[in-house]
Amino acid sequence: MKEVYWNGITFYEYDDERIYKNLRRMRVLYFVSTILAILTTIGECTRNAVNRAWVLDWYAYLTYFEYLLIVPFVFFLLFRKEHGKRPSELSDRELKKISKTFELRRKGLTHFPLIPSILESLLPVILEVAFCLWWGLSYYNIHYSFFLLGYWLPTYIFIYIASGLLIANAVFKKREWETTPPQAVQEAHAEFEKKKIKKEYEKLIEQCGIKFFIKYYKQIKYLPLRDVTVTESYPPNEKNERILSAKKIIDSGLTEFALNEIINTYRDVLEETEIEQAKFILQEFQPNQNQESFDQKEGTEMLIHEFIIKNGISPEDVEAPLSVRAGERCMLVFENNVCVGVIWKHSDTKNSEANGQAEIRFFNSYKDTYRVWHRMFTREGQRITYDRLEAELQTKDEYIYFGKIKGV
């Protein structure tokens, strides 16, 4: 499933070809239903004209024929032939037509609305049944309603089948939304989860305390709670509340999030040793593979560095193969508010998995600290691409990156 954007409108393109086949079949069914409605109307008018019944109640017959024709004809017009094609296959003209008819964008969806879609699919059937009931009850004869339903059956049976195809489409779409949701929906879910996690974290860390969490993390994680030794003289109730809150943060899988939040939010009030301890704990969540730098030495210690990536003006020249001159605008790398290098896009002449990856080129004056090059990975070991990093910096001022670099 993917999204196709046109003129500010988002169309969802589904992978299941059955959805588009059903839409094409449905249009044929509405066309057949419309032709039958026209033939039925002509035949009934002819019969009434011969029997002079039309003169007796022309208004009633006009209403009768109007509702016989209107449902299949209107829905045939609504479901244009463009609906049977994938949005990416449509021309601008066709997209303009389809945007004004049935499948308009539903904004702000986080899930596929199955029940509303089924009711929408049954709308032609609902209209027919409602009219037949109204007609019969108007003449105080419910049997006449059933007569109409049976009389119109040859015409409307094709509409019933078309509605069944639309209901099947709703089910197919629901499945795709669950297995491969649109990017906007994934982002909405991720944002919701992030807010949920942050709300839970804020409540627990307030009960626990940031310094308490860092100091006693190892004990609380690896020891039975009765064996946790707290050196501060807290009242028993408060001590238990702090320990239990810290334990809940750990058990809920919020440790990494909590430590990053603590470091980023409370850096100015924490001691340097506490920050280093928090970073040391974070090493548990770093990948053991793929996190490599160029020209690494075996057996040297791996150090975690927290870098801030920002757009700015390079303070130094950088040698080939990366051509950056002092005063040129690029992505800069900072540690402890000091610019230590720039970001470049890895490019090899050979077909390499690293092509397109974001890579740090440290300034020569810092190569004794960081070495020369460092390819960027997420904590899960996935490559961070240059384009992704560039896009991140278009939406926010800085990007925080934890780099595992071997000592020199």
Side-chain angles (χ1 to χ4, degrees), residues 82-123:
E82 290 84 0
H83 287 292
K85 298 180 182 178
R86 294 180 177 276
S88 57
E89 300 171 350
L90 297 174
S91 64
D92 283 354
R93 184 178 179 183
E94 289 173 322
L95 284 168
K96 185 176 181 180
K97 289 178 183 177
I98 201 172
S99 68
K100 293 181 178 179
T101 54
F102 197 71
E103 281 200 17
L104 292 176
R105 179 188 181 189
R106 297 179 175 94
K107 296 183 179 179
L109 285 182
T110 56
H111 64 283
F112 184 78
L114 181 61
I115 300 303
S117 296
I118 291 175
L119 292 175
E120 198 175 66
S121 304
L122 291 172
L123 184 60

Side-chain angles (χ1 to χ4, degrees), residues 87-217:
S88 57
E89 300 171 350
L90 297 174
S91 64
D92 283 354
R93 184 178 179 183
E94 289 173 322
L95 284 168
K96 185 176 181 180
K97 289 178 183 177
I98 201 172
S99 68
K100 293 181 178 179
T101 54
F102 197 71
E103 281 200 17
L104 292 176
R105 179 188 181 189
R106 297 179 175 94
K107 296 183 179 179
L109 285 182
T110 56
H111 64 283
F112 184 78
L114 181 61
I115 300 303
S117 296
I118 291 175
L119 292 175
E120 198 175 66
S121 304
L122 291 172
L123 184 60
V125 179
I126 293 170
L127 288 174
E128 187 229 358
V129 173
F131 172 72
C132 291
L133 289 173
W134 170 76
W135 185 276
L137 293 174
S138 297
Y139 287 90
Y140 305 102
N141 188 354
I142 192 66
H143 299 290
Y144 191 61
S145 297
F146 293 108
F147 166 75
L148 284 179
L149 287 170
Y151 185 78
W152 288 358
L153 184 61
T155 296
Y156 274 85
I157 194 168
F158 296 97
I159 292 179
Y160 302 156
I161 297 170
S163 294
L165 293 176
L166 280 177
I167 292 171
N169 274 6
V171 174
F172 296 149
K173 290 178 181 180
K174 173 73 172 176
R175 288 174 184 169
E176 282 207 31
W177 276 66
E178 289 175 348
T179 54
T180 55
Q183 184 63 31
V185 174
Q186 294 181 41
E187 292 172 357
H189 277 305
E191 187 64 27
F192 173 78
E193 287 299 319
K194 185 177 178 181
K195 288 180 179 177
K196 182 180 175 183
I197 288 171
K198 190 167 185 178
K199 185 176 180 181
E200 187 176 358
Y201 151 78
E202 287 173 349
K203 178 184 175 183
L204 293 171
I205 205 68
E206 185 177 339
Q207 295 171 344
C208 169
I210 56 174
K211 296 191 175 188
F212 184 93
F213 182 74
I214 294 171
K215 183 175 181 180
Y216 297 106
Y217 168 79

Side-chain angles (χ1 to χ4, degrees), residues 26-45:
M26 181 201 64
R27 180 168 170 80
V28 173
L29 290 168
Y30 275 128
F31 176 75
V32 173
S33 181
T34 303
I35 296 300
L36 283 175
I38 293 171
L39 293 176
T40 302
T41 302
I42 293 172
E44 191 69 16
C45 286

Side-chain angles (χ1 to χ4, degrees), residues 226-292:
R226 287 181 178 274
D227 294 331
V228 175
T229 303
V230 178
T231 57
E232 293 84 0
S233 55
Y234 297 116
N237 289 342
E238 183 181 342
K239 184 181 80 170
N240 290 334
E241 183 184 47
R242 286 175 181 268
I243 292 174
L244 291 173
S245 298
K247 181 67 173 173
K248 191 168 182 180
I249 290 174
I250 295 167
D251 292 344
S252 301
L254 298 174
T255 303
E256 185 179 10
F257 179 86
L259 289 170
N260 284 322
E261 283 290 307
I262 288 169
I263 291 171
N264 296 333
T265 309
Y266 302 104
R267 177 185 293 274
D268 295 337
V269 297
L270 290 172
E271 300 290 336
E272 191 63 33
T273 54
E274 292 171 326
I275 294 175
E276 289 303 316
Q277 188 178 354
K279 289 182 178 180
F280 178 76
I281 297 170
L282 277 171
Q283 291 183 45
E284 295 181 11
F285 304 93
Q286 298 292 330
N288 294 322
Q289 56 184 5
N290 285 339
Q291 189 74 319
E292 299 176 350

